[in-house]
Amino acid sequence: MRSLQAASGFAALLAVLVEGQTPSYQGALLIEPGLSAGKCMTAVSNTDGAAVTLQTCTGADSQKWTFDSGSVKVFGSKCLDVVGGQNVDGTKLQIWTCSTNQDPNQQFFYTGNYRLAWSNHGKCTDLSNGSLNDGNQLQVWTCGGGNPNQVWNTGYPASALPGTSENGQTGTNACGTSSSQSSSCQTAWINDVDDFCLWAPPSVGPIGATEREEVAWCTKTGRGTRTIPDGTLSGVHFVKTPDYVQVTGQGDFTKINVLAGDAGGELDPHGADGNGNPVGGLVFGNSFGQALQYHEWTSFISDTQFCFRACVGPNAAQNCQHIYDTMGCFWNMPANYDSGVFESCDGDDDLPMGVYGTSTWFQGVSPTPSAHPIASSSNCRTVPTVTASPAKKKRDGLVKRYIPNAPTPL
C-alpha cells in the first residue's frame, strides 16, 4: 500500500517478487493450494517414503512445514523429496530423511508468484489433476505461470498463531483473548456486518506514514485486539459473494487514530517488499470454512470511509487486486457506502478491478476508466447498529478432523 497521494510502486513490487526464495512468513507453515485454503499439504506418516498428499487442514504436525537451507521440512528431520529424482512430469512427491549434503531431490524454493519449485529442474509442485480430494498425492510438473494447480499459499492455523509472522513486524499475531485499546494485535477477522476488523494506526497518524504498523480494531471482543469504539461506525454494508467477503461503510475513524483530514490509503498482504502492510498482518474468517486464513485481501481506510475485501479460490488475486492503491474505495470496491444502514447481504462478484473486457488498465495511464457497476445483492438483513460485543469463540478455532495414517492433531 502507498498513500492515496503517493505514486504507484508497481514496477518495484514486481522486481522484488521475482527474487523470492522462501515465503515471507516465518516458522512452521501450512502449505495450501491456491484453489482451496481449507486443504493442506500433508505427509501421511513420519516414515521414509511416506506420500505427500492433500488433506483437509487440521494443523497437525504432518502439515507443519519449515523452509530451511533450500529444503522443505516436516517432523523436524524429514524433507520434501522427489521420488527417485525423476525429472519427469507426473513424478510423485514423498518425504525422506533430510540429507546432510543438499541432496538435489530435496532442494526446493518458493517463488515470488507462489510456486514451490524443484531447484534447477524447471519443475513445480503440482496438484495432481487439479483434484482437491483428500488423499490426492502431489507431483512435480513443468512450471507454468498460468497453471492454477501450481499455486501454493503459506500460512498458519488460527488456533496456533506465532508471536510474529514476518520480519520487521511491530505487533503480534498471538493476541490472546483480552481486548485492550493499547493492543498491538495484527490478526484481523471478517465475518459479518457486526463481526469484522479494520486496520488503523496504533497511535494518531496518517495511513501513508503508519501503513507498516497498523493494528486490528474490531467489533468483537475476546480476540485480543482493540475494539472499535461505539459510535464510530455510521453505516456498514457486508456482502458475501461466491469468491469473497466484503465490508464497506462510513464513520468517524479519527476515533481509531486515523488523522483528521487524511484521505487514507490501501493495505494488503504483500506491500512493496513482499511483506504485508501492515507487516505481519493476518486475516481470518469463517464464511468459506472454519477459521480459514485469507491469503488475498485488500483494504482502504480514510478518516471517514472504509472498505475491506478478502478473497478465496483460483481468482483470489484478481478479485483482491492491490495495485490500484491510489484509486480509493469506490473505484476498487463498488458497493453501498451509505450512512444510516447496517446490513448483511449475499451478492454476486464485482467485475475485477482494472479489467475491462479483454483489456487491463494500469494505474497512471490516461484516461482513467470509470468504476465498474455495483454487483447485484439479495437476501439482505439489517441490524439497528454495530457495537462492540463478545466473539463466538467456538467459531474461531480450527476444526480438528481425522487424517488417515497421520499423527493425532494437537
Side-chain angles (χ1 to χ4, degrees):
M1 169 271 190
R2 269 69 60 198
S3 162
L4 291 185
Q5 291 86 5
S8 170
F10 182 49
L13 172 62
L14 289 178
V16 170
L17 288 181
V18 297
E19 297 299 324
Q21 294 293 313
T22 61
S24 61
Y25 293 141
Q26 305 176 103
L29 301 172
L30 304 180
I31 301 179
E32 305 166 351
L35 295 175
S36 174
K39 300 288 184 173
C40 282
M41 180 185 293
T42 307
V44 301
S45 68
N46 186 5
T47 56
D48 285 349
V52 175
T53 68
L54 199 68
Q55 299 284 357
T56 299
C57 296
T58 67
D61 286 349
S62 57
Q63 297 178 342
K64 293 179 179 178
W65 303 83
T66 58
F67 288 73
D68 182 24
S69 302
S71 294
V72 185
K73 297 182 176 181
V74 68
F75 300 123
S77 62
K78 295 292 193 291
C79 281
L80 185 66
D81 185 283
V82 179
V83 174
Q86 297 181 69
N87 190 11
V88 177
D89 284 349
T91 301
K92 300 302 182 183
L93 290 170
Q94 62 182 5
I95 60 169
W96 203 271
T97 298
C98 296
S99 166
T100 59
N101 60 353
Q102 296 188 323
D103 184 339
N105 298 347
Q106 298 179 351
Q107 293 293 291
F108 290 82
F109 67 97
Y110 194 68
T111 74
N113 59 348
Y114 315 112
R115 269 65 178 175
L116 184 55
W118 185 17
S119 300
N120 303 315
H121 287 81
K123 296 287 192 290
C124 284
T125 302
D126 186 279
L127 187 62
S128 301
N129 299 315
S131 172
L132 292 170
N133 292 333
D134 283 357
N136 182 20
Q137 187 171 2
L138 306 184
Q139 63 184 8
V140 292
W141 200 272
T142 300
C143 297
N147 187 346
N149 299 334
Q150 296 178 352
V151 176
W152 297 93
N153 295 311
T154 59
Y156 306 94
S159 58
L161 295 177
T164 57
S165 57
E166 291 184 324
N167 285 322
Q169 186 171 350
T170 58
T172 184
N173 298 116
C175 303
T177 58
S178 299
S179 298
S180 165
Q181 297 306 80
S182 61
S183 169
S184 60
C185 180
Q186 292 177 311
T187 301
W189 291 76
I190 177 169
N191 286 319
D192 209 338
V193 61
D194 59 354
D195 185 357
F196 66 93
C197 302
L198 299 175
W199 297 117
S203 58
V204 176
I207 299 299
T210 61
E211 61 188 20
R212 305 279 283 177
E213 55 196 52
E214 313 296 31
V215 296
W217 295 77
C218 306
T219 62
K220 294 295 185 185
T221 62
R223 294 184 178 129
T225 69
R226 303 186 188 201
T227 54
I228 298 174
D230 292 350
T232 299
L233 300 162
S234 60
V236 178
H237 307 269
F238 175 87
V239 63
K240 178 187 176 184
T241 80
D243 293 302
Y244 58 80
V245 288
Q246 176 179 285
V247 62
T248 59
Q250 301 280 345
D252 177 6
F253 301 114
T254 63
K255 294 182 178 180
I256 57 172
N257 290 340
V258 180
L259 186 68
D262 184 21
E266 188 263 354
L267 302 140
D268 63 72
H270 306 296
D273 61 357
N275 290 331
N277 283 323
V279 176
L282 303 178
V283 178
F284 290 86
N286 300 313
S287 295
F288 296 97
Q290 195 79 2
L292 291 187
Q293 183 175 350
Y294 290 106
H295 301 290
E296 296 291 346
W297 52 268
T298 179
S299 174
F300 289 77
I301 190 169
S302 71
D303 63 339
T304 60
Q305 186 182 72
F306 75 91
C307 53
F308 196 162
R309 179 185 291 182
C311 301
V312 297
N315 298 316
Q318 185 179 46
N319 288 324
C320 275
Q321 185 59 264
H322 60 277
I323 64 172
Y324 301 106
D325 55 358
T326 68
M327 299 303 295
C329 269
F330 193 83
W331 192 92
N332 279 276
M333 294 175 237
N336 190 347
Y337 287 83
D338 291 347
S339 293
V341 179
F342 300 84
E343 64 180 1
S344 179
C345 303
D346 296 327
D348 296 332
D349 289 345
D350 281 330
L351 295 171
M353 304 95 152
V355 178
Y356 296 84
T358 59
S359 299
T360 299
W361 177 77
F362 291 98
Q363 186 170 274
V365 176
S366 184
T368 299
S370 300
H372 289 308
I374 301 173
S376 62
S377 60
S378 60
N379 302 322
C380 294
R381 63 176 179 86
T382 60
V383 297
T385 189
V386 175
T387 57
S389 61
K392 297 178 180 179
K393 295 305 295 180
K394 66 180 182 179
R395 298 186 65 198
D396 291 353
L398 187 65
V399 175
K400 292 180 169 36
R401 301 179 177 87
Y402 175 69
I403 296 179
N405 301 317
T408 302
L410 298 177

mmCIF file of all heavy atoms in Angstrom, residues 17 25-27 93 155 161 169 205 227 263 267 269 281 286 324 357 366 378 392 409:
data_model
loop_
_atom_site.group_PDB
_atom_site.id
_atom_site.type_symbol
_atom_site.label_atom_id
_atom_site.label_comp_id
_atom_site.label_asym_id
_atom_site.label_seq_id
_atom_site.Cartn_x
_atom_site.Cartn_y
_atom_site.Cartn_z
ATOM 1 N N LEU A 17 9.319 -9.293 -6.083
ATOM 2 C CA LEU A 17 8.670 -10.597 -6.008
ATOM 3 C C LEU A 17 9.419 -11.686 -6.752
ATOM 4 O O LEU A 17 9.431 -12.838 -6.330
ATOM 5 C CB LEU A 17 7.235 -10.501 -6.538
ATOM 6 C CG LEU A 17 6.243 -9.754 -5.641
ATOM 7 C CD1 LEU A 17 4.865 -9.765 -6.265
ATOM 8 C CD2 LEU A 17 6.192 -10.345 -4.243
ATOM 9 N N TYR A 25 6.386 -15.422 5.343
ATOM 10 C CA TYR A 25 6.005 -15.894 6.667
ATOM 11 C C TYR A 25 7.107 -16.764 7.266
ATOM 12 O O TYR A 25 7.801 -17.488 6.550
ATOM 13 C CB TYR A 25 4.700 -16.692 6.613
ATOM 14 C CG TYR A 25 3.488 -15.864 6.249
ATOM 15 C CD1 TYR A 25 2.497 -16.387 5.418
ATOM 16 C CD2 TYR A 25 3.321 -14.576 6.732
ATOM 17 C CE1 TYR A 25 1.367 -15.651 5.082
ATOM 18 C CE2 TYR A 25 2.202 -13.825 6.408
ATOM 19 C CZ TYR A 25 1.232 -14.364 5.579
ATOM 20 O OH TYR A 25 0.124 -13.624 5.249
ATOM 21 N N GLN A 26 7.216 -16.714 8.581
ATOM 22 C CA GLN A 26 8.282 -17.406 9.302
ATOM 23 C C GLN A 26 7.748 -18.613 10.056
ATOM 24 O O GLN A 26 6.566 -18.710 10.351
ATOM 25 C CB GLN A 26 8.922 -16.448 10.312
ATOM 26 C CG GLN A 26 9.431 -15.150 9.721
ATOM 27 C CD GLN A 26 9.963 -14.203 10.781
ATOM 28 O OE1 GLN A 26 11.171 -14.062 10.946
ATOM 29 N NE2 GLN A 26 9.065 -13.569 11.512
ATOM 30 N N GLY A 27 8.676 -19.532 10.395
ATOM 31 C CA GLY A 27 8.337 -20.640 11.265
ATOM 32 C C GLY A 27 7.667 -21.786 10.549
ATOM 33 O O GLY A 27 7.760 -21.947 9.329
ATOM 34 N N LEU A 93 5.544 -36.933 -5.117
ATOM 35 C CA LEU A 93 6.335 -36.409 -4.010
ATOM 36 C C LEU A 93 6.161 -37.270 -2.767
ATOM 37 O O LEU A 93 5.093 -37.846 -2.528
ATOM 38 C CB LEU A 93 5.914 -34.969 -3.713
ATOM 39 C CG LEU A 93 6.298 -33.938 -4.778
ATOM 40 C CD1 LEU A 93 5.632 -32.605 -4.500
ATOM 41 C CD2 LEU A 93 7.809 -33.778 -4.847
ATOM 42 N N GLY A 155 0.742 -20.258 5.348
ATOM 43 C CA GLY A 155 0.056 -19.562 6.426
ATOM 44 C C GLY A 155 0.049 -20.378 7.700
ATOM 45 O O GLY A 155 0.888 -21.269 7.903
ATOM 46 N N LEU A 161 -1.235 -19.460 16.324
ATOM 47 C CA LEU A 161 -0.539 -18.377 15.633
ATOM 48 C C LEU A 161 0.791 -18.072 16.314
ATOM 49 O O LEU A 161 0.917 -18.175 17.538
ATOM 50 C CB LEU A 161 -1.410 -17.129 15.601
ATOM 51 C CG LEU A 161 -2.695 -17.248 14.792
ATOM 52 C CD1 LEU A 161 -3.528 -15.976 14.897
ATOM 53 C CD2 LEU A 161 -2.387 -17.555 13.329
ATOM 54 N N GLN A 169 8.097 -7.002 11.862
ATOM 55 C CA GLN A 169 6.765 -6.785 12.412
ATOM 56 C C GLN A 169 6.848 -6.033 13.742
ATOM 57 O O GLN A 169 7.658 -6.364 14.610
ATOM 58 C CB GLN A 169 6.068 -8.130 12.594
ATOM 59 C CG GLN A 169 4.624 -8.051 13.033
ATOM 60 C CD GLN A 169 3.932 -9.406 12.983
ATOM 61 O OE1 GLN A 169 4.478 -10.369 12.453
ATOM 62 N NE2 GLN A 169 2.731 -9.480 13.531
ATOM 63 N N GLY A 205 -2.084 9.130 13.417
ATOM 64 C CA GLY A 205 -1.195 9.416 12.306
ATOM 65 C C GLY A 205 -1.871 9.147 10.982
ATOM 66 O O GLY A 205 -2.935 8.516 10.925
ATOM 67 N N THR A 227 -10.873 -2.632 20.232
ATOM 68 C CA THR A 227 -12.261 -2.625 19.779
ATOM 69 C C THR A 227 -12.613 -1.257 19.208
ATOM 70 O O THR A 227 -12.137 -0.220 19.693
ATOM 71 C CB THR A 227 -13.234 -2.980 20.912
ATOM 72 O OG1 THR A 227 -13.012 -2.123 22.029
ATOM 73 C CG2 THR A 227 -13.040 -4.425 21.343
ATOM 74 N N ALA A 263 -6.827 11.501 3.603
ATOM 75 C CA ALA A 263 -7.505 10.806 2.504
ATOM 76 C C ALA A 263 -7.245 9.312 2.548
ATOM 77 O O ALA A 263 -7.908 8.540 1.851
ATOM 78 C CB ALA A 263 -7.050 11.371 1.163
ATOM 79 N N LEU A 267 -4.159 -1.014 2.071
ATOM 80 C CA LEU A 267 -3.395 -2.003 2.825
ATOM 81 C C LEU A 267 -3.642 -3.382 2.214
ATOM 82 O O LEU A 267 -4.744 -3.654 1.736
ATOM 83 C CB LEU A 267 -3.816 -1.967 4.301
ATOM 84 C CG LEU A 267 -3.614 -0.589 4.931
ATOM 85 C CD1 LEU A 267 -4.765 -0.234 5.840
ATOM 86 C CD2 LEU A 267 -2.303 -0.530 5.686
ATOM 87 N N PRO A 269 -1.711 -7.779 1.880
ATOM 88 C CA PRO A 269 -0.749 -8.705 2.488
ATOM 89 C C PRO A 269 0.598 -8.782 1.786
ATOM 90 O O PRO A 269 1.425 -9.628 2.154
ATOM 91 C CB PRO A 269 -1.473 -10.054 2.404
ATOM 92 C CG PRO A 269 -2.326 -9.940 1.187
ATOM 93 C CD PRO A 269 -2.775 -8.502 1.154
ATOM 94 N N GLY A 281 0.484 -8.603 9.076
ATOM 95 C CA GLY A 281 -0.968 -8.589 9.209
ATOM 96 C C GLY A 281 -1.592 -9.858 8.645
ATOM 97 O O GLY A 281 -1.364 -10.208 7.479
ATOM 98 N N ASN A 286 -14.726 -17.070 8.845
ATOM 99 C CA ASN A 286 -15.496 -18.314 8.905
ATOM 100 C C ASN A 286 -16.483 -18.469 7.746
ATOM 101 O O ASN A 286 -17.255 -19.432 7.737
ATOM 102 C CB ASN A 286 -16.276 -18.364 10.226
ATOM 103 C CG ASN A 286 -15.364 -18.325 11.433
ATOM 104 O OD1 ASN A 286 -14.375 -19.044 11.497
ATOM 105 N ND2 ASN A 286 -15.679 -17.462 12.402
ATOM 106 N N TYR A 324 -3.964 -0.984 -7.480
ATOM 107 C CA TYR A 324 -4.652 0.292 -7.740
ATOM 108 C C TYR A 324 -4.768 1.084 -6.448
ATOM 109 O O TYR A 324 -5.845 1.444 -5.988
ATOM 110 C CB TYR A 324 -6.021 0.018 -8.362
ATOM 111 C CG TYR A 324 -5.927 -0.754 -9.660
ATOM 112 C CD1 TYR A 324 -6.291 -2.101 -9.709
ATOM 113 C CD2 TYR A 324 -5.442 -0.155 -10.822
ATOM 114 C CE1 TYR A 324 -6.194 -2.814 -10.904
ATOM 115 C CE2 TYR A 324 -5.334 -0.862 -12.006
ATOM 116 C CZ TYR A 324 -5.720 -2.197 -12.038
ATOM 117 O OH TYR A 324 -5.615 -2.907 -13.218
ATOM 118 N N GLY A 357 -13.362 -5.881 -20.252
ATOM 119 C CA GLY A 357 -13.392 -6.786 -21.387
ATOM 120 C C GLY A 357 -12.092 -7.573 -21.460
ATOM 121 O O GLY A 357 -11.699 -8.244 -20.509
ATOM 122 N N SER A 366 -3.552 7.390 -18.812
ATOM 123 C CA SER A 366 -4.681 8.272 -19.132
ATOM 124 C C SER A 366 -5.379 7.787 -20.404
ATOM 125 O O SER A 366 -4.728 7.335 -21.352
ATOM 126 C CB SER A 366 -4.175 9.710 -19.331
ATOM 127 O OG SER A 366 -5.248 10.587 -19.545
ATOM 128 N N SER A 378 -28.707 -9.660 -2.672
ATOM 129 C CA SER A 378 -30.024 -10.177 -2.289
ATOM 130 C C SER A 378 -29.957 -10.706 -0.863
ATOM 131 O O SER A 378 -28.888 -10.742 -0.245
ATOM 132 C CB SER A 378 -30.465 -11.296 -3.241
ATOM 133 O OG SER A 378 -29.537 -12.378 -3.201
ATOM 134 N N LYS A 392 -18.011 -15.122 19.163
ATOM 135 C CA LYS A 392 -18.400 -16.509 19.388
ATOM 136 C C LYS A 392 -17.150 -17.358 19.223
ATOM 137 O O LYS A 392 -16.801 -17.780 18.128
ATOM 138 C CB LYS A 392 -19.485 -16.931 18.389
ATOM 139 C CG LYS A 392 -20.776 -16.136 18.543
ATOM 140 C CD LYS A 392 -21.808 -16.556 17.504
ATOM 141 C CE LYS A 392 -23.100 -15.755 17.646
ATOM 142 N NZ LYS A 392 -24.096 -16.144 16.624
ATOM 143 N N PRO A 409 -3.874 -34.877 15.688
ATOM 144 C CA PRO A 409 -3.726 -33.419 15.719
ATOM 145 C C PRO A 409 -3.558 -32.938 17.150
ATOM 146 O O PRO A 409 -4.149 -33.479 18.093
ATOM 147 C CB PRO A 409 -5.043 -32.923 15.110
ATOM 148 C CG PRO A 409 -5.534 -34.071 14.272
ATOM 149 C CD PRO A 409 -5.102 -35.306 15.002
#
